[in-house]
Amino acid sequence: MASLFDEFQLGDLTLPNRVIMGPMTRAKATPGGVPTAIMATHYAQRASAGLIISEGTWPERRGQGYCDIPGIATQEQEDAWRTVTDAVHAKGGRIFLQMEHTGRVGHEINNGGLQMVSSTTERADFFIYTHEHGMIPMTDNVHELTTDEVHEVIESYYQAAVRTKAAGFDGIELHAASGYLPHQFLSDVANGRDDEFGGTARKRTEFTVRVLRKLIEAWGSSKRIGVKISPNILFNGISEDRPDATYSVLLDRLNELDLAYVAFQTPESLRSLAGKDNPEIVDGEIWHRYPYEFIRERYDGVVIASGDLTQELAQNALAHDKADLFVFGRAYMSNPDLVERMRHGWPVTPVDMRRAYGSADAEAGYNDYPTYEEEMAGQGHITA
Ligand SMILES: Cc1cc2nc3c(=O)[nH]c(=O)nc-3n(C[C@H](O)[C@H](O)[C@H](O)COP(=O)(O)O)c2cc1C
């Protein structure tokens, strides 16, 4: 029987196991989005993952909706990311960059005052953290991109992809989930356009597909490019009336692109991330529900699942061929050696979400979670 700890061939990359460190925004970059040294330490600590997917990283500054999240749009950022990828590779790991343009999600307070852009002028009805005012409603000053401007944004993804390769990453995951810019084009609620990027399901998928083509062009190989989707989630002010119609078309088109993988996050997991009860997740039955079946049936390639997984759930999903690779998010925050802990049946340290985010000098709650072996040697040094 296939095991989480078996090797997996992802295109030309050999992953030593099927345990993936999921993309997680931690707000540890400088205010201008330059990665910091503590980020290199953090990712290198987690190098035994089959694959690391970096936190969401913006291709152009307007896409920095949150404070202190990194970019890959300048030479300084590229160079700083190089120290991260070098640190991961030195420990024998592999790392993809997650490319995240937040679109209308966020506030211009967080990106140096640039007007935020979207498929629409409608604001995202959600809240955002700012250093200046704490939690505030997301911006209501959203610019609807003209058709020409959409092409310029797509070009910015291309430029960022060139830098991503130069920075030594092993590939790119396009973030087309969670209500960010590509999702603002995919959604039949957010996208009311009547140009080449809206009007029909196919046209709503056009932005995502064109960006992916640009990433492939920049990389020279489709097998180093993945995409994350989250059909039917309610998050960051996004909603979809008929996700089946949109994602049937999108998955058909993704098949043609011959990507490294499609990753998804279950709708339920976003509720659980928000700390609410999740009555639908019952012992080991997670894989019976949308979108596991929906994506597996339509998509021919590698599928990465995420959302409230445990070792047991992931192993069961693998045994039933519901997905190929399995993301662990929060468990990776608090267990740098998650693979070893699961392989040996060692206890998994619960995460302290109160310390999930923080400024560039904040290693507490970030780099101070010990490995199991360090814990046993009395070297645990978590600060309260
Ligand atoms: C602190 C935090 C930050 C996250 N940031 C991102 C992100 O930047 N991009 C993304 O695609 N998902 C992000 N996620 C979602 C995770 O990648 C993952 O899909 C989710 O946490 C579900 O997995 P889990 O239940 O194992 O935590 C984030 C989750 C957490 C907890």
Side-chain angles (χ1 to χ4, degrees):
M1 192 179 78
S3 158
L4 280 181
F5 308 109
D6 289 345
E7 271 186 9
F8 185 83
Q9 201 60 38
L10 185 69
D12 61 337
L13 269 184
T14 304
L15 313 186
N17 58 68
R18 296 177 186 244
V19 176
I20 311 297
M21 176 183 170
M24 278 176 290
T25 291
R26 304 299 299 274
K28 305 289 184 186
T30 68
V34 181
T36 53
I38 64 173
M39 290 164 57
T41 305
H42 183 76
Y43 287 114
Q45 284 177 346
R46 286 151 179 80
S48 65
L51 176 67
I52 294 170
I53 303 166
S54 84
E55 62 212 272
T57 302
W58 39 272
E60 60 137 343
R61 185 103 201 256
R62 289 180 299 181
Q64 183 189 5
Y66 301 91
C67 37
D68 305 333
I69 62 170
I72 182 83
T74 68
Q75 189 62 46
E76 190 184 8
Q77 289 164 348
E78 179 188 313
D79 294 345
W81 274 121
R82 168 59 83 171
T83 65
V84 174
T85 61
D86 281 350
V88 170
H89 292 148
K91 288 279 175 94
R94 294 138 301 278
I95 180 167
F96 273 37
L97 175 127
Q98 189 188 54
M99 206 169 279
E100 172 189 294
H101 192 306
T102 58
R104 68 181 181 175
V105 168
H107 204 288
E108 59 272 14
I109 291 176
N110 291 336
N111 74 8
L114 300 172
Q115 188 180 22
M116 304 194 74
V117 300
S118 183
S119 58
T120 170
T121 53
E122 292 282 312
R123 65 177 289 272
D125 190 9
F126 218 62
F127 292 85
I128 189 82
Y129 175 79
T130 61
H131 287 315
E132 290 79 359
H133 310 295
M135 293 298 279
I136 58 171
M138 287 190 186
T139 187
D140 57 6
N141 182 16
V142 180
H143 172 65
E144 179 175 327
L145 292 162
T146 64
T147 307
D148 284 349
E149 289 168 344
V150 177
H151 287 285
E152 287 166 21
V153 172
I154 293 170
E155 186 58 26
S156 76
Y157 276 95
Y158 174 81
Q159 298 299 338
V162 170
R163 290 198 184 279
T164 304
K165 192 166 190 202
F169 281 93
D170 296 295
I172 300 176
E173 176 176 289
L174 173 66
H175 199 345
S178 306
Y180 299 117
L181 186 61
H183 205 175
Q184 292 159 30
F185 279 91
L186 288 170
S187 163
D188 51 5
V189 176
N191 183 348
R193 306 175 71 93
D194 57 8
D195 63 356
E196 64 201 87
F197 297 103
T200 63
R202 186 179 169 90
K203 287 181 174 177
R204 281 185 280 103
T205 64
E206 196 61 29
F207 181 80
T208 298
V209 169
R210 290 219 195 166
V211 171
L212 285 167
R213 285 204 199 111
K214 283 289 183 183
L215 303 185
I216 292 166
E217 185 188 332
W219 210 267
S221 162
S222 63
K223 287 297 186 192
R224 293 300 185 101
I225 308 297
V227 61
K228 179 174 177 178
I229 58 175
S230 55
N232 208 23
I233 65 152
L234 293 173
F235 190 62
N236 279 332
I238 205 81
S239 64
E240 294 168 288
D241 280 342
R242 289 204 51 219
D244 294 20
T246 308
Y247 290 92
S248 305
V249 174
L250 181 65
L251 289 165
D252 274 353
R253 302 190 77 188
L254 297 182
N255 279 328
E256 285 165 21
L257 290 177
D258 196 28
L259 300 171
Y261 64 81
V262 168
F264 70 88
Q265 184 166 351
T266 54
E268 294 79 10
S269 72
L270 285 149
R271 290 215 299 276
S272 107
L273 271 178
K276 296 182 186 130
D277 286 338
N278 186 347
E280 284 169 89
I281 293 192
V282 282
D283 300 321
E285 297 220 317
I286 185 169
W287 60 88
H288 291 310
R289 295 185 330 276
Y290 185 89
Y292 277 79
E293 306 291 353
F294 183 87
I295 294 174
R296 196 53 143 179
E297 275 166 21
R298 287 165 181 78
Y299 186 64
D300 300 335
V302 172
V303 173
I304 306 186
S306 78
D308 291 319
L309 292 172
T310 59
Q311 178 179 354
E312 191 191 358
L313 286 169
Q315 186 58 57
N316 278 337
L318 181 59
H320 290 81
D321 194 33
K322 301 298 178 191
D324 303 293
L325 299 169
F326 299 90
V327 156
F328 293 84
R330 286 161 289 182
Y332 250 118
M333 295 167 71
S334 45
N335 297 275
D337 57 340
L338 187 64
V339 172
E340 291 74 21
R341 285 176 188 255
M342 294 196 308
R343 192 198 302 274
H344 296 292
W346 296 335
V348 172
T349 305
V351 67
D352 177 0
M353 287 300 285
R354 290 169 309 179
R355 303 184 307 148
Y357 305 103
S359 62
D361 58 357
E363 280 195 276
Y366 188 53
N367 288 341
D368 58 356
Y369 285 106
T371 63
Y372 184 70
E373 283 170 341
E374 286 167 346
E375 258 177 59
M376 289 301 98
Q379 292 166 18
H381 47 94
I382 298 181
T383 49

